[in-house]
Amino acid sequence: SLMVRPRCNTLHCCLYELIPSEFKGVPQFFISHTWSRRVAALVAALTSFFATDDPHTVYIWLDIIAINQVPYATNKGLLQDDVSSLSKVIDTVDSTLFFLDAQGVVLTRIWCLFEVWQTLVKKSVSGLIILDFELDLTQLLEVYNTMSVSRAQATLEEDRERILAEIGDSIGHNSLDLAIREALVEGTRLGLVRVQLQGQEQDGQRGDGQRQENEEHLQGDQTVHTRLRIANALHKYGGMLVVSGQPRSAECLLRHCWEIRKELLREDDLLTVTAEHTLAQCLHELGKHKMGLDHAKKVFLTRKHMLGEHHKSTCDAATTQAVCYQSLGKFEEAEEMFRFVLAGKKGDLAPDNSGLITAISELAGCLMLRGQYAGARQLLEHGHHLSLDSFGEEGHATLNIASNLAGCYVLEGRYSDGQELHKKILDARVQKFGRQHPVSAASMVNLAGCMRAQSNPEGAYQLYSEAYRIRTNVLGAAHPLTLTVRNFLAVCLEALGRSTEAEPIYLEVLKGREDAIGPEHPDTLQTVNDLGCCYAFHLDVPEKAELLFRRSASGRKLSLGPDHPDTLVSMNNLAVSLRMQNKNEDAVPLLQEALAAYQQQLPSPPSLASPDSVNPAALNCMRTLVLLASTQQLLGHLDEAIGLFQALTDLRRAWHGSGHVLAVEAHHMLGEALQEAARNEEAVKVLRPVLQERLRLLGEEHEDTQDTIAVLAAAFKPLGLPVTRSQLGLPQNKKPR
């Protein structure tokens, strides 16, 4: 309306017809972009891309110049003749240059995706090159994961329906989604290759003599500019590899980008700092949390000094630092950083509160990992209300925070509330994205997890199976998210008693994860641990289990730290596999080390016991106490066992309540150990109230009640007490077994 139509209205022509002939030629490049973005940003991206080319030899096809815009003043759709010309031009050019704007809007427009599709059809994936873009890794991940051909928009609905029908008849929407994601990765790689080749050509044009003469001036303007362009291309390609689930391939590229910028600019230059931040995020994705944390700390301090503590980029670095702390099991430090981000976002003037809502959700997630479920729920409910006001009930941010709220309900033991909310979110996402979209698959995984928590492996297995098919079709079989749901399928098969079917799936996932994210990644080690559990607890092959548990324990100790909850779980599992092989003495030091770590992490118990929402550290401490006490008992170390059973009883009473079945069980085990140690008077004193509680909770015929009767009777005999119903404290109308 400002640049084109005023020049073309009178002649009723396109702008191309008014351009002098010396500036016209056969186009080598088709430009795909969205009109909702500023033309200046597109021109800047093209200028950067063609920086080393002779402007007299490069010709492009740009719709705003090549298509007559006058008819579109009244007709909002693209004319059929122009649709045909788009396809013909793409067929004749060498490549399509795809302008991925800073908000990723281009991936939501049906005409832009039509142009990508036509490029893939006529040129294959090698015909698409991604122009320089400004998305950070978090934005890029959101754009990549939510992209959907079936949801793409057009100015006219009939245009949208026609293109979708044509795509559906030709390749299918899901297949095109996968093809476009692959093309985005390959397109950024081709952009890097082109910049590198241009740099090599410049070196060749300088000639041997000139290169020798200028050897001490290799940092001259031309060389510096070229190397910085290479660094930019490395950054874009590395970031795209991370979001596509290939962080192993991305690490060296991002590190090289950071090193170039550090050398040519300054270590505290904002471009250098941005490269280091992306590297930190990549390292986190790779499971190298310690290394990622070191880089994130540096980035945070630099940005805080240069930009201020509440700047968005500073908060982004703080978030990366927090998630690294969280992955390392340093929940207190993670919570501190998440609260810092939340304080910064409260001052954010963004009208939709998007940053504040995300910060609330991330802090709540950390609190849930610490077992602070009530505090997490309050935060999430507040964030959910904010999101409802800003985005509505079906908004993407609203559904995200609602999903976290549902997960919190499950952890609190409110299974029906959690399942109902997860179902509601799944229905909303299916309505918004379609059932075959990765976002819908994520909701299926969450709902399946809720079903597993309620001992419904059949229902969970069906949902996991559907989510696996969707992720395989849309993301690919080797994508880390696909492998994650495949691992869950194996876990469900074990729960269904189909362990022989689970074993080959675990082996397949293990190989896939080793290839995709590395043999020492925490997710890979999770599969190692799960396969060990399959061998130990279902296939009765403790020797194989021991080897796997040793690998997961040593790997987790190295990557996550010796006190991380996952490390301690592997140590406990290793101890169990040793016990299964009668290597009880080897199991004791492992359990003692794990118990000491859990006791360090143990928070104060609540003033009012809540059996359904016990702190995770307390639960793990209880499990370890049971294992260590029973192992000491097997070895005949009864005094040690008695002390541990007493600690278990105290802990369960504090968290579950003295009348809870698990607290009563611990008290029974204490009495049994006392009786075995011939401390019969103490055993009787402990077991009498245990029997009364079990009669109340379970009834006399329950096997646990009968166990207590038997142990109590055994303690009576050395004391000369008659084993009668009245002496035992049983009702008088039955005889004891």
Side-chain angles (χ1 to χ4, degrees):
S1 61
L2 296 176
M3 185 176 77
V4 179
R5 286 189 188 132
R7 293 168 171 79
C8 301
N9 274 344
T10 304
L11 298 175
H12 202 80
C13 65
C14 63
L15 188 60
Y16 177 78
E17 295 176 60
L18 304 181
I19 295 174
S21 59
E22 60 265 31
F23 298 111
K24 297 179 182 179
V26 178
Q28 300 109 322
F29 299 96
F30 177 91
I31 311 301
S32 181
H33 69 110
T34 174
W35 284 31
S36 62
R37 301 296 95 189
R38 294 176 64 241
V39 174
L42 173 61
V43 172
L46 290 171
T47 302
S48 174
F49 183 79
F50 293 120
T52 60
D53 291 285
D54 181 353
H56 298 287
T57 63
V58 175
Y59 296 91
I60 65 170
W61 191 98
L62 184 61
D63 51 9
I64 199 169
I65 295 172
I67 293 178
N68 186 350
Q69 302 298 316
V70 177
Y72 297 109
T74 54
N75 184 351
K76 299 298 183 182
L78 201 59
L79 301 180
Q80 186 58 45
D81 287 347
D82 291 330
V83 175
S84 301
S85 70
L86 283 179
S87 182
K88 291 175 183 176
V89 172
I90 291 171
D91 195 18
T92 58
V93 298
D94 296 334
S95 303
T96 294
L97 302 184
F98 191 71
F99 179 50
L100 185 56
D101 57 284
Q103 287 72 37
V105 175
V106 67
L107 291 172
T108 68
R109 305 303 297 174
I110 194 66
W111 281 113
C112 298
L113 298 182
F114 171 82
E115 291 161 359
V116 174
W117 174 46
Q118 289 297 301
T119 302
L120 298 179
V121 168
K122 298 176 182 301
K123 302 293 180 185
S124 80
V125 70
S126 62
L128 187 74
I129 299 177
I130 309 300
L131 288 173
D132 199 19
F133 54 88
E134 300 173 359
L135 287 88
D136 63 29
L137 204 57
T138 305
Q139 291 174 309
L140 187 58
L141 184 63
E142 179 74 9
V143 169
Y144 186 90
N145 286 339
T146 58
M147 188 212 76
S148 171
V149 171
S150 60
R151 289 182 59 244
Q153 300 300 308
T155 305
L156 287 183
E157 180 61 22
E158 53 261 39
D159 285 351
R160 177 179 179 276
E161 291 176 357
R162 178 163 52 85
I163 292 174
L164 287 177
E166 191 174 344
I167 292 171
D169 292 340
S170 174
I171 185 175
H173 300 163
N174 294 334
S175 297
L176 184 56
D177 281 341
L178 178 58
I180 290 175
R181 286 185 172 90
E182 292 174 347
L184 288 173
V185 177
E186 179 63 11
T188 50
R189 187 192 71 82
L190 291 173
L192 170 61
V193 169
R194 189 174 191 276
V195 173
Q196 289 173 325
L197 289 174
Q198 288 172 340
Q200 293 171 6
E201 288 171 3
Q202 284 185 338
D203 286 343
Q205 289 167 2
R206 277 193 283 270
D208 293 340
Q210 189 175 352
R211 278 202 300 273
Q212 186 173 0
E213 179 183 342
N214 293 335
E215 191 167 343
E216 67 273 20
H217 302 294
L218 285 177
Q219 303 307 314
D221 291 343
Q222 183 98 3
T223 305
V224 169
H225 179 68
T226 300
R227 293 185 67 202
L228 286 175
R229 289 183 67 230
I230 291 173
N232 291 343
L234 287 166
H235 189 250
K236 306 309 179 189
Y237 181 38
M240 194 66 79
L241 285 171
V242 172
V243 303
S244 65
Q246 304 175 66
R248 288 188 83 188
S249 302
E251 181 187 358
C252 62
L253 301 174
L254 293 172
R255 191 176 296 281
H256 189 31
C257 166
W258 174 53
E259 288 168 350
I260 292 174
R261 288 180 176 177
K262 188 167 57 170
E263 175 190 346
L264 300 181
L265 302 172
R266 299 187 315 274
E267 190 162 5
D268 62 350
D269 184 275
L270 288 178
L271 281 175
T272 308
V273 174
T274 297
E276 186 171 11
H277 185 224
T278 308
L279 175 61
Q281 292 172 299
C282 175
L283 291 168
H284 169 67
E285 290 296 320
L286 270 173
K288 299 181 179 181
H289 305 306
K290 293 178 183 177
M291 295 171 62
L293 179 60
D294 290 341
H295 286 291
K297 283 180 177 179
K298 282 177 57 185
V299 172
F300 171 70
L301 291 174
T302 304
R303 286 179 170 175
K304 185 178 178 183
H305 173 71
M306 297 181 69
L307 303 173
E309 62 179 23
H310 292 156
H311 191 279
K312 178 185 180 301
S313 295
T314 308
C315 290
D316 288 346
T319 299
T320 303
Q321 192 174 336
V323 296
C324 287
Y325 274 132
Q326 188 168 276
S327 297
L328 289 166
K330 298 180 180 293
F331 301 120
E332 187 174 340
E333 294 90 337
E335 181 182 340
E336 181 183 351
M337 294 308 299
F338 280 131
R339 289 194 182 279
F340 172 89
V341 175
L342 181 59
K345 296 298 182 182
K346 284 180 178 177
D348 192 348
L349 299 179
D352 60 5
N353 289 314
S354 55
L356 176 60
I357 293 165
T358 300
I360 288 172
S361 187
E362 289 169 337
L363 173 58
C366 181
L367 294 179
M368 284 191 280
L369 288 171
R370 300 193 73 183
Q372 298 175 17
Y373 305 128
R377 173 172 36 80
Q378 291 168 6
L379 271 174
L380 290 168
E381 287 172 345
H382 173 58
H384 190 239
H385 288 311
L386 285 176
S387 193
L388 283 171
D389 291 341
S390 298
F391 302 103
E393 191 172 3
E394 306 302 323
H396 188 51
T398 306
L399 296 175
N400 282 345
I401 199 165
S403 181
N404 290 340
L405 180 59
C408 188
Y409 287 156
V410 172
L411 290 172
E412 286 186 296
R414 296 169 56 182
Y415 297 116
S416 59
D417 292 339
Q419 182 162 324
E420 182 181 350
L421 185 52
H422 274 313
K423 284 182 177 177
K424 184 177 178 181
I425 295 163
L426 175 58
D427 291 342
R429 284 178 166 168
V430 167
Q431 181 69 27
K432 182 173 183 177
F433 294 96
R435 194 164 187 91
Q436 303 304 312
H437 194 277
V439 172
S440 300
S443 282
M444 293 174 195
V445 171
N446 292 335
L447 179 56
C450 181
M451 290 179 171
R452 278 178 55 208
Q454 297 176 82
S455 301
N456 180 10
E458 296 91 346
Y461 182 79
Q462 291 176 3
L463 280 170
Y464 282 139
S465 297
E466 185 176 1
Y468 174 68
R469 287 193 296 271
I470 294 168
R471 286 181 172 175
T472 300
N473 291 336
V474 179
L475 301 176
H479 193 282
L481 288 176
T482 308
L483 295 171
T484 294
V485 74
R486 185 80 165 142
N487 200 82
F488 284 141
L489 278 171
V491 173
C492 276
L493 285 171
E494 283 190 87
L496 290 167
R498 296 159 59 184
S499 300
T500 53
E501 297 174 58
E503 180 193 4
I505 294 177
Y506 279 133
L507 292 169
E508 174 190 321
V509 173
L510 179 57
K511 177 66 167 61
R513 282 181 160 173
E514 286 174 338
D515 291 343
I517 53 181
E520 301 304 321
H521 191 284
D523 288 351
T524 306
L525 296 173
Q526 179 64 51
T527 301
V528 172
N529 186 77
D530 290 344
L531 179 57
C533 290
C534 182
Y535 284 135
F537 307 131
H538 295 101
L539 297 178
D540 195 23
V541 192
E543 299 83 3
K544 284 188 176 182
E546 179 187 345
L547 295 175
L548 290 163
F549 289 142
R550 287 192 184 281
R551 176 182 168 184
S552 66
S554 61
R556 285 172 163 176
K557 188 175 289 188
L558 185 65
S559 63
L560 301 176
D563 298 334
H564 191 281
D566 289 351
T567 305
L568 302 177
V569 166
S570 287
M571 291 170 63
N572 276 353
N573 287 339
L574 175 56
V576 171
S577 71
L578 292 169
R579 279 184 45 166
M580 293 175 71
Q581 301 173 73
N582 294 318
K583 300 177 181 178
N584 294 309
E585 292 188 359
D586 294 338
V588 168
L590 288 167
L591 294 168
Q592 288 173 332
E593 184 180 348
L595 179 60
Y598 281 133
Q599 288 174 331
Q600 284 289 108
Q601 300 168 11
L602 202 59
S604 300
S607 54
L608 184 64
S610 178
D612 292 326
S613 56
V614 179
N615 181 277
L619 284 174
N620 287 323
C621 191
M622 293 173 199
R623 294 186 186 111
T624 308
L625 278 166
V626 171
L627 284 171
L628 181 55
S630 58
T631 305
Q632 295 284 30
Q633 190 173 8
L634 285 170
L635 290 169
H637 303 158
L638 296 177
D639 288 343
E640 291 87 343
I642 289 167
L644 293 165
F645 282 131
Q646 182 64 64
L648 175 65
T649 302
D650 295 342
L651 195 59
R652 283 186 172 175
R653 283 178 167 176
W655 285 94
H656 293 290
S658 58
H660 192 276
V661 65
L662 291 176
V664 175
E665 177 192 60
H667 214 194
H668 168 85
M669 290 188 284
L670 172 60
E672 190 175 40
L674 287 166
Q675 187 274 325
E676 189 176 345
R679 293 163 60 174
N680 293 297
E681 289 185 3
E682 297 172 74
V684 170
K685 187 177 179 180
V686 166
L687 291 168
R688 281 189 187 278
V690 170
L691 179 56
Q692 294 308 308
E693 286 294 331
R694 284 190 158 172
L695 287 169
R696 179 181 66 84
L697 293 167
L698 308 173
E700 185 176 344
E701 297 303 318
H702 194 280
E703 60 181 349
D704 290 349
T705 309
Q706 292 295 319
D707 284 345
T708 302
I709 292 171
V711 178
L712 185 57
F716 276 5
K717 290 179 181 178
L719 298 175
L721 296 173
V723 182
T724 63
R725 293 185 67 82
S726 60
Q727 189 69 30
L728 289 167
L730 295 170
Q732 294 302 304
N733 57 342
K734 290 185 178 181
K735 292 183 179 180
R737 289 189 188 177

